[in-house]
Amino acid sequence: KQEVTQIPAALSVPEGENLVLNCSFTDSAIYNLQWFRQDPGKGLTSLLLIQSSQREQTSGRLNASLDKSSGRSTLYIAASQPGDSATYLCAAEAGSYQLTFGKGTKLSVIP
Amino acid sequence: DAEITQSPRHKITETGRQVTLACHQTWNHNNMFWYRQDLGHGLRLIHYSYGVQDTNKGEVSDGYSVSRSNTEDLPLTLESAASSQTSVYFCASSDRRGGGETQYFGPGTRLLVL
């Protein structure tokens, strides 16, 4: 059974800092790895999707990497802003469209 | 714009009552999913559907049922609500391979079972 872990559970950084969020998964036979953002009281918004054949994906200030062999993915946020404050979730898909989620990292960016 | 909506957004019910949560998507996606989100557990899959008349059990399906009579809707029914089913419920949809696998989520339904 796939297990997805995100460390740390919470992170507080000053505005402008670059930061890395970590995600690990136990079964490397994944189809893709997805990163989502969740604001308080809201649904999830997709940020980046990395196919198993890819090493990384970029969108604006966000860069996600995938290392299947080690069972790890990272989300890099450059020049953090207060508007980046949210909970970030990673999810692994095994090939049946079903996602296994980590519990998330709650990010606070302090002005 | 295409979207996915859930109703009601908030619901209070009593133990033993039947409750149905609605999910409607205008993406014309084949795949639809129901998750529950609880502190300490994250998001867990309840049921999912790959198309009309198709339904499948997820990780935490006991006490829940779904039906898919058209592409747009996947209602979730709690047959006899229990306090353990107090949670936030999210519906999601995605397309087939080649059409984009990203899941699009609804805003959630907050359910309280007293």
Side-chain angles (χ1 to χ4, degrees), chain A residues 19-62:
Chain A
L19 60 101
V20 174
L21 306 181
N22 296 297
C23 172
S24 62
F25 46 94
T26 55
D27 187 349
S28 62
I30 62 170
Y31 196 87
N32 62 51
L33 190 291
Q34 301 183 37
W35 284 92
F36 294 87
R37 169 184 172 137
Q38 185 176 26
D39 293 287
K42 305 286 187 181
L44 281 67
T45 301
S46 178
L47 297 173
L48 290 164
L49 183 152
I50 313 174
Q51 301 284 4
S52 61
S53 59
Q54 298 174 321
R55 298 285 296 192
E56 64 179 79
Q57 280 287 332
T58 298
S59 176
R61 295 182 294 108
L62 305 180

Side-chain angles (χ1 to χ4, degrees), chain A:
Chain A
K1 176 186 172 185
Q2 177 75 274
E3 293 182 4
V4 178
T5 303
Q6 292 185 248
I7 295 174
L11 180 64
S12 183
V13 300
E15 181 178 1
E17 191 163 297
N18 302 325
L19 60 101
V20 174
L21 306 181
N22 296 297
C23 172
S24 62
F25 46 94
T26 55
D27 187 349
S28 62
I30 62 170
Y31 196 87
N32 62 51
L33 190 291
Q34 301 183 37
W35 284 92
F36 294 87
R37 169 184 172 137
Q38 185 176 26
D39 293 287
K42 305 286 187 181
L44 281 67
T45 301
S46 178
L47 297 173
L48 290 164
L49 183 152
I50 313 174
Q51 301 284 4
S52 61
S53 59
Q54 298 174 321
R55 298 285 296 192
E56 64 179 79
Q57 280 287 332
T58 298
S59 176
R61 295 182 294 108
L62 305 180
N63 176 276
S65 67
L66 175 64
D67 184 342
K68 278 184 56 177
S69 62
S70 67
R72 295 180 185 276
S73 177
T74 61
L75 179 66
Y76 175 83
I77 302 177
S80 59
Q81 303 171 357
D84 295 330
S85 297
T87 296
Y88 291 80
L89 297 154
C90 70
E93 191 213 315
S96 57
Y97 302 102
Q98 299 165 51
L99 297 178
T100 301
F101 282 87
K103 294 178 182 179
T105 294
K106 184 175 182 179
L107 173 66
S108 297
V109 180
I110 312 301

Side-chain angles (χ1 to χ4, degrees), chain B residues 9-100:
Chain B
R9 294 294 314 280
H10 302 271
K11 175 77 176 177
I12 301 174
T13 192
E14 296 177 345
T15 300
R17 289 189 180 268
Q18 184 180 80
V19 176
T20 297
L21 308 183
C23 174
H24 179 80
Q25 53 100 0
T26 58
W27 292 97
N28 198 34
H29 285 164
N30 291 291
N31 307 324
M32 295 185 73
F33 309 85
W34 273 103
Y35 298 89
R36 60 178 289 174
Q37 186 175 37
D38 305 285
L39 283 174
H41 288 281
L43 278 125
R44 293 179 290 174
L45 184 64
I46 305 172
H47 280 286
Y48 57 100
S49 168
Y50 293 142
V52 176
Q53 302 301 330
D54 175 75
T55 61
N56 305 278
K57 294 181 179 180
E59 178 187 358
V60 290
S61 61
D62 288 349
Y64 303 94
S65 64
V66 294
S67 61
R68 187 92 179 268
S69 59
N70 58 52
T71 300
E72 296 79 19
D73 299 289
L74 187 70
L76 177 71
T77 297
L78 286 67
E79 304 294 345
S80 177
S83 58
S84 61
Q85 294 177 309
T86 292
S87 186
V88 181
Y89 291 86
F90 288 101
C91 179
S93 70
S94 71
D95 206 344
R96 295 187 189 278
R97 302 288 181 217

